[in-house]
Amino acid sequence: MNFKIILQLLLFIIFIGCKQLETTQKKTIKTEPDTSTAETTLKSSDEEDSSKYIFDREYTNQGFALIYDENLFNKKSISKKLDNRGLFIFHTKIRKNSFVKITNPENTKTVIAQVISNKAIFSNFYNSVITKRIVDELLLDENEPYVELSLISNESTFVAKKAKTFDEEKKVAQKAPVDGITIDNLGTVEKKELPKTSQSNFLYSIKIADFYYKDSAENMIQRIKDETKITNPVIKKLSQTKYRVLLGPFNDIKKIQESFDEIEKLNFENLKIIKDV
């Protein structure tokens, strides 16, 4: 009888000891720092910040530029002022102080301009706000300021050299009269005549996206009809494996802007306005 009591006491002591050991192990696990969540959160935050502006990948866009005018600022169509004497632009997606090449497709003339701000607010219909000087340099038609804009990579050796030139040019421009001045590379003043508008040649479309499969393009067409007021999107077959969804063509800039504002509700990343030939 005494043997059974002793055996029960021994088993009870062993059982209590195991429970204490298990509790200690659990407490030890709980007190270990959890760094995985913090690292994941930090990484996500970094990725969000870095993706806010485009600066390390190839970026091109074709569309209409908004030519800066003091009246646009006074009417609050543009939220910031821009010095019309410089080769500067406003852009909403490219990091400040980046450089872009702006081309007039009509005559292939190009200029290099600096993104002076990415905080300016203006209609998303325009791919940038440009100065009167850029208009003069490119011989742009002010009634049809269609340009191609491409980002110059930060890795380009051009950037460091041009940055110094632009800083020097800012000082020169500040001393020059505001109206009626065009400053070229030689420091001379020159007035350039702009070509006259030919409204009969005004024909543009809005490019939504290119697709590998026709079914994908048709699905996009249906989505546009279901989620916007646009009723006539079209599919253009470019090859056996390339189908383009378009809106248009349009022969009036106001009609393009109306359709652009409507399709923008779908939050496409890089809508392009292309000239029909």
Side-chain angles (χ1 to χ4, degrees):
M1 187 67 180
N2 292 335
F3 176 77
K4 289 183 178 179
I5 294 174
I6 294 172
L7 181 59
Q8 289 176 353
L9 288 173
L10 183 60
L11 291 174
F12 181 76
I13 293 170
I14 294 172
F15 177 77
I16 293 298
C18 290
K19 281 292 184 182
Q20 289 178 344
L21 179 60
E22 183 180 349
T23 303
T24 303
Q25 289 176 340
K26 287 183 178 180
K27 287 182 178 179
T28 303
I29 292 172
K30 287 183 179 179
T31 56
E32 288 179 355
D34 184 7
T35 58
S36 60
T37 304
E39 290 174 354
T40 303
T41 304
L42 180 59
K43 184 177 180 182
S44 300
S45 177
D46 289 343
E47 288 176 351
E48 184 178 8
D49 291 340
S50 64
S51 63
K52 187 175 182 180
Y53 299 117
I54 300 168
F55 56 93
D56 279 334
R57 63 185 177 89
E58 183 178 350
Y59 173 82
T60 62
N61 184 278
Q62 296 84 36
F64 290 100
L66 181 60
I67 302 170
Y68 181 80
D69 185 273
E70 196 76 11
N71 291 328
L72 293 174
F73 175 77
N74 294 334
K75 294 177 181 178
K76 298 184 179 180
S77 298
I78 303 175
S79 63
K80 288 178 175 286
K81 288 189 175 184
L82 186 61
D83 190 341
N84 254 333
R85 298 163 295 187
L87 297 173
F88 309 125
I89 72 167
F90 291 153
H91 198 283
T92 58
K93 294 182 179 179
I94 298 178
R95 191 171 61 176
K96 181 180 177 180
N97 294 327
S98 298
F99 291 93
V100 295
K101 181 173 74 170
I102 305 176
T103 304
N104 180 355
E106 286 295 313
N107 55 24
T108 69
K109 287 182 175 293
T110 65
V111 296
I112 304 300
Q114 186 178 22
V115 179
I116 205 72
S117 174
N118 50 30
K119 302 293 185 182
I121 300 172
F122 54 93
S123 171
N124 289 334
F125 172 70
Y126 301 100
N127 66 4
S128 59
V129 178
I130 63 175
T131 61
K132 182 62 168 61
R133 177 179 173 185
I134 293 176
V135 173
D136 292 342
E137 294 284 346
L138 297 179
L139 297 180
L140 277 174
D141 183 343
E142 294 190 25
N143 296 312
E144 193 178 332
Y146 184 77
V147 297
E148 178 177 315
L149 186 150
S150 58
L151 176 65
I152 297 175
S153 170
N154 284 348
E155 298 176 357
S156 172
T157 55
F158 162 85
V159 172
K161 295 179 181 178
K162 201 65 180 178
K164 182 178 179 181
T165 302
F166 272 71
D167 287 339
E168 293 173 351
E169 185 175 273
K170 286 179 188 177
K171 297 177 182 178
V172 174
Q174 288 171 357
K175 299 178 182 179
V178 175
D179 298 322
I181 292 292
T182 298
I183 308 171
D184 62 16
N185 292 332
L186 298 177
T188 59
V189 177
E190 180 183 357
K191 295 295 291 182
K192 301 177 182 179
E193 294 184 2
L194 302 180
K196 295 182 179 180
T197 306
S198 176
Q199 291 294 335
S200 60
N201 295 329
F202 191 102
L203 203 61
Y204 294 87
S205 295
I206 301 174
K207 174 189 168 184
I208 306 301
D210 292 333
F211 296 91
Y212 188 86
Y213 296 107
K214 186 177 180 180
D215 288 348
S216 300
E218 290 174 343
N219 289 337
M220 176 57 69
I221 291 285
Q222 191 59 49
R223 183 190 173 195
I224 292 171
K225 290 181 178 179
D226 291 343
E227 300 182 29
T228 71
K229 296 178 182 178
I230 296 170
T231 58
N232 56 346
V234 297
I235 298 174
K236 184 175 182 180
K237 183 178 179 180
L238 302 180
S239 68
Q240 293 296 329
T241 57
K242 193 171 185 179
Y243 298 88
R244 177 167 293 174
V245 177
L246 297 165
L247 303 183
F250 303 91
N251 57 8
D252 183 274
I253 193 168
K254 291 183 179 180
K255 293 179 181 178
I256 301 177
Q257 187 164 6
E258 288 173 1
S259 294
F260 187 95
D261 292 342
E262 182 66 23
I263 199 65
E264 199 180 26
K265 297 175 182 177
L266 300 185
N267 295 317
F268 292 117
E269 182 181 355
N270 190 18
L271 293 171
K272 293 184 178 181
I273 297 174
I274 58 177
K275 187 161 188 176
D276 290 29
V277 293

